[in-house]
Amino acid sequence: MKEYLLVALALLGVLIIGGLSLVVPRLRRRPEPPLPTTEVDTRTEEDLAGPPVEAPEAELSTGVVVEAPPVGAPPIEVPEPTAGRLVRLRSRLSRSQNAFGKGLLGLLSRDRLDEDTWEEIEDSLITADVGIDSTREIVDRLRERTRVLGTRTGDELRTLLATELVNALDPSLDRSLRTTSTDGVPAVLLVVGVNGAGKTTTCGKIARVLVADGRTVLLGAADTFRAAAADQLETWGGRVGAETVRGPEAADPASVAFDAVKRGIEVGVDTVLIDTAGRLQNKVGLMDELGKVKRVVEKHGPIDETLLVLDATTGQNGLEQARVFTEAVNVTGVVLTKLDGTAKGGIVIAVQRKLGIPVKLVGLGEGKDDLAPFDPAQFVDALLGTEPLGRDA
Ligand SMILES: Nc1nc2c(ncn2[C@@H]2O[C@H](COP(=O)(O)OP(=O)(O)O)[C@@H](O)[C@H]2O)c(=O)[nH]1
Ligand SMILES: [Mg+2]
């Protein structure tokens, strides 16, 4: 009997301990995921606690309302690091550039590179939106080098072509974004471009990149033309815990931009990103508006970076529009969006050469982290579609 009791007790003990060991880790594990959120949230609550003290802000300024991320908003996200993004750039581009790459490499591996073949090579570059001038230059150099080196094999020609394409993108250009604050004053980044080019989306994506790198960011919604534009920007900011400064609908964009930088200085963020409107019905009006935004913001100090956002799918037409912006503000970098949606990736070459401004970032999709730093060599490899070529042939 005693033995039975002991065995039963032992069994019970084992069951209880076993049960606990199953439950306890789960209990322990469960609170873990929200941890990073709580940490970041605490910071936001401090931010939230800030504005009530400074409530007179609204009276001081031009009626611009400062809005912190709403209480009870979805948990703040930790964006994907930028490191792996070039790999994605490759695959996204290669998908659409494959035909172009195949065609070009096919031409180059012909037995005889006669006049017709060179013309076809030229045509395929022009078709890819490389632009007539750049194409001529690239093909002339390629012909010259082929002649001098006596290069024959398709592989060698491919390397030569890649070299010329990279060269046309001037790999020596500085493509870094100036987003670091100096002497406690935030870096100011102005984002310009026509309607629908992807400005607001790009502002949001850049904010995520900066947050992922441990920076603090404030967004300024200087597209006051539609309230939806400010909402859109605020949504992007809210996801990563960045405050958005916005004004009432139809407020003066320059004053919103001014207040955003002012607020950024007060709060002590690293970077202030200013989203603008891009109506182009009236060139003079747009230039006046942007010129004013620039002047007014510069009362706080110089603008560190002015990014021109261009839609890659608009091809050569987009280039003409781009000029208006380069005349209105001092554009320091180009963001080429929607490269995932065009088979004409050569536009990167045309844009950079025509405008003489480095392409610093490329948009590769509508996803939150579909923005990558631009790298000429990686881009050319993707453009020629060398890797996927063998796979789906
Ligand atoms: N496929 C694709 N869509 C993009 C990209 N960048 C922006 N978009 C889309 O383009 C549309 C317009 O973007 P938005 O940022 O509102 O343009 P804005 O008027 O210049 O502010 C939106 O539907 C975006 O999701 C990109 O790199 N790839
Ligand atoms: Mg917008």
Side-chain angles (χ1 to χ4, degrees), residues 194-270:
V194 297
N195 256 347
K199 290 180 299 300
T200 307
T201 309
T202 300
C203 274
K205 288 174 178 174
I206 293 175
R208 296 178 67 86
V209 170
L210 294 174
V211 169
D213 289 346
R215 307 279 184 80
T216 49
V217 179
L218 184 138
L219 300 169
D223 178 355
T224 56
F225 197 55
R226 298 170 305 129
D231 292 344
Q232 189 192 352
L233 190 68
E234 201 166 24
T235 303
W236 278 96
R239 287 194 198 123
V240 288
E243 181 180 325
T244 300
V245 170
R246 55 187 292 178
E249 203 167 334
D252 177 17
S255 75
V256 176
F258 180 85
D259 284 4
V261 179
K262 182 167 161 266
R263 174 77 182 156
I265 294 169
E266 285 167 8
V267 181
V269 294
D270 296 311

Side-chain angles (χ1 to χ4, degrees), residues 37-57:
T37 316
T38 321
E39 267 173 28
V40 185
D41 265 343
T42 323
R43 222 183 37 187
T44 317
E45 303 228 341
E46 276 167 22
D47 289 347
L48 280 170
V53 186
E54 291 160 275
E57 169 98 20

Side-chain angles (χ1 to χ4, degrees), residues 153-324:
T153 73
D155 261 4
E156 282 171 321
L157 282 166
R158 190 217 154 261
T159 309
L160 279 184
L161 171 67
T163 309
E164 288 311 328
L165 290 173
V166 171
N167 185 56
L169 285 164
D170 195 350
S172 70
L173 290 175
D174 178 13
R175 294 172 205 276
S176 59
L177 288 186
R178 277 161 292 173
T179 52
T180 319
S181 59
T182 34
D183 305 326
V185 178
V188 176
L189 203 144
L190 190 65
V191 178
V192 303
V194 297
N195 256 347
K199 290 180 299 300
T200 307
T201 309
T202 300
C203 274
K205 288 174 178 174
I206 293 175
R208 296 178 67 86
V209 170
L210 294 174
V211 169
D213 289 346
R215 307 279 184 80
T216 49
V217 179
L218 184 138
L219 300 169
D223 178 355
T224 56
F225 197 55
R226 298 170 305 129
D231 292 344
Q232 189 192 352
L233 190 68
E234 201 166 24
T235 303
W236 278 96
R239 287 194 198 123
V240 288
E243 181 180 325
T244 300
V245 170
R246 55 187 292 178
E249 203 167 334
D252 177 17
S255 75
V256 176
F258 180 85
D259 284 4
V261 179
K262 182 167 161 266
R263 174 77 182 156
I265 294 169
E266 285 167 8
V267 181
V269 294
D270 296 311
T271 318
V272 176
L273 297 176
I274 299 171
D275 184 25
T276 62
R279 285 159 290 145
L280 242 188
Q281 306 98 315
N282 179 343
K283 178 179 160 177
V284 177
L286 180 88
M287 286 180 71
D288 283 354
E289 182 175 302
L290 279 181
K292 188 177 169 197
V293 168
K294 179 179 181 286
R295 277 194 314 280
V296 168
V297 164
E298 285 186 335
K299 287 184 179 166
H300 290 297
I303 292 174
D304 298 81
E305 189 88 55
T306 301
L307 293 179
L308 172 61
V309 178
L310 293 177
D311 177 344
T313 64
T314 59
Q316 304 288 325
N317 294 336
L319 266 175
E320 284 315 309
Q321 299 173 334
R323 250 182 253 289
V324 179

